[in-house]
């Protein structure tokens, strides 16, 4: 289970992150990765939405589901079929979010690591020594953590994909997928702080599981950001990093 207090704290940390960005003029660190994210996300989403529809159509024709529904001539059954097909496409979109998210986190890892470090340095009035060797180790650790999360999340999404074909029950799969995606995205944002405090992967995983409400809340707001076209896509990644860092400020990481 998770703490609703931690979920609320993670949500509120976005407001603190906005004030922090305004006060310390961090906009260049927000906009540069945001623009790149926005362009890559929009391009990928366009192809995934189109091809997911083609996949659903191909599968229904292969299994002769379309002909079966047409032969029955039932408006209710046709309606159920449309809802199931839509649920499957939504699951594919969530799946795309998963892989795109991790790819972007790997590519932008140096920027987000620096942004998280800079946030904590300002909050605690201290400086963290920079090391190219340490940066390389952190990037490699981030890649390994991303692949670990991909495996776990892929398993969950595959199960949802199967369940989404079940009428009525399949309708709730997008909502379940949303919470799974939110948790793993918040997980990634929290891991930047865990990494900086030299927690091993196992220690980081254990810590975040103990505070899964923080991960869930952080990821939930991220996806709400993503509902705002362009502006939300540009702001969401960096805001999530800073919000997670602020939220973890008073947590004992070591």
């Amino acid at each position: 289970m998770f703490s609703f207090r931690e979920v609320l704290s993670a949500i509120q940390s976005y407001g603190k992150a906005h004030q922090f960005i305004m006060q310390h003029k961090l906009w260049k660190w927000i906009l540069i990765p945001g623009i790149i994210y926005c362009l890559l996300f929009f391009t990928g989403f366009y192809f995934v939405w189109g091809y997911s529809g083609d996949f659903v159509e191909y599968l229904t024709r292969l299994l002769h589901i379309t002909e079966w529904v047409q032969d029955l001539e039932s408006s209710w059954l046709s309606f159920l079929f449309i809802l199931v097909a839509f649920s499957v496409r939504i699951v594919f979109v969530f799946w795309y979010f998963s892989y795109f998210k991790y790819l972007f986190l790997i590519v932008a890892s140096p920027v987000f690591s620096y942004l998280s470090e800079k946030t904590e340095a300002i909050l605690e009035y201290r400086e963290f020594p920079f090391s190219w060797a340490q940066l390389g180790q952190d990037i490699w650790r981030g890649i390994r953590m991303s692949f670990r999360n991909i495996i776990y999340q892929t398993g969950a999404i595959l199960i949802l994909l199967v369940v989404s074909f079940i009428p009525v029950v399949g309708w709730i799969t997008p909502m379940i997928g949303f919470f799974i995606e939110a948790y793993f995205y918040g997980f990634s944002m929290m891991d930047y702080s865990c990494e900086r405090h030299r927690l091993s992967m196992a220690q980081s995983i254990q810590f975040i599981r103990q505070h899964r409400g923080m991960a869930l809340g952080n990821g939930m707001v991220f996806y709400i950001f993503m509902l705002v076209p362009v502006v939300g896509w540009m702001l969401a990644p960096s805001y999530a990093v800073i919000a997670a860092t602020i939220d973890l400020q008073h947590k004992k990481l070591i």
Side-chain angles (χ1 to χ4, degrees):
M1 295 297 291
F2 57 86
S3 168
F4 285 101
R5 181 176 297 178
E6 288 189 338
V7 174
L8 181 60
S9 174
I11 293 173
Q12 292 174 335
S13 67
Y14 274 82
K16 297 176 182 177
H18 178 70
Q19 295 175 357
F20 184 85
I21 292 167
M22 296 289 290
Q23 180 179 355
H24 298 284
K25 299 179 174 61
L26 298 177
W27 285 111
K28 67 178 180 179
W29 296 105
I30 306 298
L31 297 179
I32 293 176
I35 291 173
I36 297 173
Y37 184 96
C38 183
L39 293 174
L40 294 176
F41 174 82
F42 183 77
T43 301
F45 181 84
Y46 173 80
F47 286 105
V48 168
W49 183 255
Y51 283 117
S52 65
D54 294 338
F55 172 79
V56 171
E57 183 177 354
Y58 168 77
L59 191 62
T60 54
R61 291 187 182 278
L62 180 66
L63 299 176
H64 304 289
I65 297 177
T66 303
E67 293 84 350
W68 177 67
V69 171
Q70 291 175 346
D71 290 341
L72 291 178
E73 297 183 350
S74 170
S75 58
W76 278 106
L77 190 60
S78 297
F79 177 70
L80 288 174
F81 173 74
I82 292 173
L83 286 179
V84 170
F86 181 75
S87 295
V88 173
R89 294 187 73 178
I90 293 298
V91 170
F92 267 99
V93 170
F94 277 123
W95 206 347
Y96 160 68
F97 283 170
S98 303
Y99 288 104
F100 176 80
K101 171 186 66 180
Y102 290 117
L103 175 62
F104 185 76
L105 288 176
I106 291 172
V107 172
S109 179
V111 176
F112 289 152
S113 293
Y114 174 79
L115 186 58
S116 178
E117 179 179 301
K118 186 175 182 65
T119 300
E120 185 169 336
I122 294 173
L123 290 171
E124 299 187 359
Y125 303 99
R126 58 182 292 195
E127 291 294 332
F128 291 90
F130 178 79
S131 168
W132 284 107
Q134 186 60 55
L135 177 62
Q137 293 177 13
D138 291 345
I139 292 174
W140 174 238
R141 179 188 184 280
I143 292 174
R144 289 162 55 210
M145 182 67 83
S146 293
F147 276 109
R148 178 263 178 194
N149 287 345
I150 284 174
I151 293 173
Y152 276 83
Q153 195 164 335
T154 298
I157 296 298
L158 283 173
I159 294 173
L160 283 182
L161 183 60
V162 174
V163 173
S164 66
F165 282 96
I166 303 175
V168 182
V169 177
W171 300 352
I172 66 172
T173 55
M175 181 178 65
I176 297 174
F178 166 78
F179 287 119
I180 292 174
E181 289 289 327
Y183 170 75
F184 277 102
Y185 195 87
F187 186 112
S188 300
M189 296 298 97
M190 292 174 66
D191 187 55
Y192 287 113
S193 294
C194 295
E195 175 184 81
R196 185 169 54 258
H197 287 274
R198 303 294 171 252
L199 269 66
S200 67
M201 285 183 57
Q203 291 172 328
S204 181
I205 293 169
Q206 181 181 7
F207 174 82
I208 296 172
R209 282 177 176 172
Q210 292 173 347
H211 301 283
R212 57 174 59 92
M214 297 175 66
L216 181 60
N218 182 280
M220 287 170 59
V221 179
F222 166 79
Y223 276 108
I224 293 174
F225 261 84
M226 294 298 288
L227 294 177
V228 183
V230 183
V231 175
W233 303 342
M234 290 176 61
L235 299 182
S238 297
Y239 264 70
V241 174
I242 295 176
T245 305
I246 292 174
D247 201 26
L248 284 168
Q249 182 186 7
H250 302 296
K251 293 291 184 181
K252 187 177 181 180
L253 293 172
I254 55 175

